[in-house]
């Protein structure tokens, strides 16, 4: 079968939840729509069918049935996503353009009041990660938790992870952008600000998006989130730590959100947990703003 000219091609995605995985990766390829609603995918569960003629000629040209079995398996789809994901999802070619497209300015510093920023040493890279979440989006997610029991971020929310060198220089930047269908786009921008296929910092290069989705859609627990609010032990490539004041390590906020284990909205970090801990610290110190005190009250903290 020529998968580029075929009207329909079976998918043989040997993963725990192939339907969710394909929704995540193929969502946006057809006019930004859900792939099932757009007709790009049909079927359910393990029995999925791709309809290549709904893809543009240029993107469809990257489909290849390498083993000639008349279906597309995961190993055959990975090169397709490597070649087409950025274009298919409308991801800008530069980090500067990414910020412009999301309508937010890059964090001016780790103290930028428009962003909630935290430094982390984790399993993704041996580099220090400086992760920033728009403050407005974080508060919106926490209010969504009050109303519906889940941390759900607004459509278009960017999450920024800057990988830092020993002198504080930017080695690369990983980004997520929330889509309207509830999944996230993933991208990596190199030190030069140009979009890249994968991360470059040790211990291993990680491809965006195919090696991002495994963690964000999965259930495996990682350090330092797994041990939080306690400190995590060092890993084989260095520390595993959130660099925050001890007073932010609230057992109550951790238990309320269960943020890493639940993985609401496909987010792995502890941003709502830490922000709530910060607000609780401000409340004890008598410096909390009235709207922040009200948020804690709504959360029952």
């Amino acid at each position: 079968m020529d998968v580029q000219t075929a009207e329909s091609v079976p998918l043989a995605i040997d993963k725990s939840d192939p339907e969710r995985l394909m929704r995540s990766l193929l969502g946006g390829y057809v006019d930004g729509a859900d792939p099932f609603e757009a007709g790009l995918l049909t079927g359910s569960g393990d029995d999925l069918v791709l309809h290549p003629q709904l893809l543009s000629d240029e993107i469809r040209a990257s489909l290849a049935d390498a083993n000639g079995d008349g279906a597309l398996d995961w190993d055959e789809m990975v090169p397709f996503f490597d070649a087409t994901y950025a274009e298919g999802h409308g991801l800008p070619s530069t980090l500067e353009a990414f910020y412009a497209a999301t309508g937010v300015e890059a964090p001016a510093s780790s103290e930028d009041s428009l962003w909630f920023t935290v430094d982390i040493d984790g399993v993704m890279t041996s580099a220090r990660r400086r992760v920033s979440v728009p403050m407005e989006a974080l508060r919106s997610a926490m209010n969504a938790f009050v109303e519906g029991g889940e941390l759900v971020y607004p459509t278009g929310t960017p999450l920024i992870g800057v990988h830092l060198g020993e002198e504080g220089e930017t080695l690369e930047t990983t980004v997520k952008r929330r889509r309207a269908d509830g999944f996230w786009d993933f991208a990596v921008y190199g030190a030069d600000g140009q979009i890249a296929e994968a991360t470059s910092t040790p211990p291993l290069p990680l491809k965006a998006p195919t090696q991002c989705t495994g963690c964000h859609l999965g259930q495996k627990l990682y350090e330092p989130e797994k041990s939080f609010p306690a400190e995590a032990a060092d890993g084989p490539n260095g520390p595993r730590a959130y660099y925050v004041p001890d007073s932010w390590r609230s057992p109550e906020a951790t238990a309320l959100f269960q943020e890493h284990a639940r993985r609401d909205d496909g987010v792995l970090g502890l941003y709502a947990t830490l922000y709530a801990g910060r607000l609780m610290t401000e409340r004890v110190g008598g410096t909390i703003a009235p709207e922040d005190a009200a948020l804690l009250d709504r959360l029952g903290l």
Side-chain angles (χ1 to χ4, degrees):
M1 177 191 295
D2 183 346
V3 295
Q4 294 181 21
T5 61
E7 292 293 333
S8 60
V9 180
L11 296 181
I13 309 299
D14 187 18
K15 297 291 182 179
S16 59
D17 191 343
E19 183 176 333
R20 187 174 183 225
L21 179 60
M22 289 298 102
R23 281 184 185 274
S24 171
L25 293 172
L26 286 170
Y29 270 81
V30 183
D31 297 327
D34 174 280
F36 286 91
E37 293 178 1
L40 180 60
L41 285 174
T42 56
S44 62
D46 295 331
D47 298 316
L48 299 177
V49 177
L50 179 71
H51 300 273
Q53 300 312 309
L54 291 178
L55 298 169
S56 69
D57 292 347
E58 183 177 2
I59 287 179
R60 191 170 65 247
S62 293
L63 288 172
D65 178 16
N67 62 15
D69 66 354
L72 291 169
D73 61 28
W74 177 245
D75 288 340
E76 292 165 334
M77 289 299 290
V78 167
F80 168 78
F81 290 123
D82 288 345
T84 66
Y85 182 83
E87 179 183 352
H89 288 256
L91 287 165
S93 60
T94 68
L95 183 58
E96 181 180 9
F98 175 83
Y99 281 117
T102 56
V104 296
E105 294 185 3
S109 72
S110 59
E111 304 300 323
D112 190 327
S113 63
L114 296 179
W115 295 81
F116 180 73
T117 297
V118 60
D119 283 7
I120 309 166
D121 276 321
V123 299
M124 179 181 178
T125 172
S126 58
R128 178 72 54 86
R129 299 188 75 219
R130 180 161 292 160
V131 179
S132 297
V133 185
M135 190 69 77
E136 183 177 349
L138 178 56
R139 292 178 64 89
S140 176
M142 294 169 75
N143 278 306
F145 185 88
V146 172
E147 296 169 4
E150 292 187 335
L151 289 163
V152 178
Y153 287 82
T155 297
T157 297
L159 271 64
I160 311 298
V162 179
H163 295 183
L164 301 171
E166 293 183 1
E167 303 302 320
E169 72 277 19
T170 296
L171 303 176
E172 61 194 358
T173 302
T174 63
V175 303
K176 292 177 61 177
R177 182 179 65 186
R178 194 183 188 280
R179 304 198 308 257
D181 62 5
F183 291 99
W184 296 75
D185 292 330
F186 299 89
V188 178
Y189 293 92
D192 59 359
Q194 300 294 313
I195 199 166
E197 182 178 304
T199 62
S200 61
T201 51
L204 293 171
L206 298 174
K207 288 185 177 183
T210 53
Q211 287 181 290
C212 303
T213 53
C215 294
H216 285 273
L217 298 183
Q219 296 300 317
K220 183 178 179 179
L221 301 182
Y222 299 95
E223 295 290 12
E225 292 83 5
K226 180 180 179 181
S227 294
F228 198 87
E231 299 279 359
D234 289 353
N237 297 299
R240 299 286 182 261
Y242 273 86
Y243 297 99
V244 297
D246 287 344
S247 61
W248 292 15
R249 295 176 173 273
S250 165
E252 295 82 7
T254 303
L256 175 66
F257 293 115
Q258 301 179 58
E259 199 166 357
H260 183 63
R262 288 168 48 118
R263 217 154 297 187
D264 289 348
D265 215 4
V267 175
L268 291 169
L270 302 177
Y271 315 121
T273 303
L274 290 168
Y275 184 55
R278 187 181 102 177
L279 295 183
M280 294 167 76
T281 300
E282 292 174 355
R283 182 173 60 190
V284 170
T287 59
I288 191 169
E291 61 270 24
D292 293 332
L295 175 58
L296 290 181
D297 285 344
R298 290 196 298 273
L299 289 166
L301 292 172

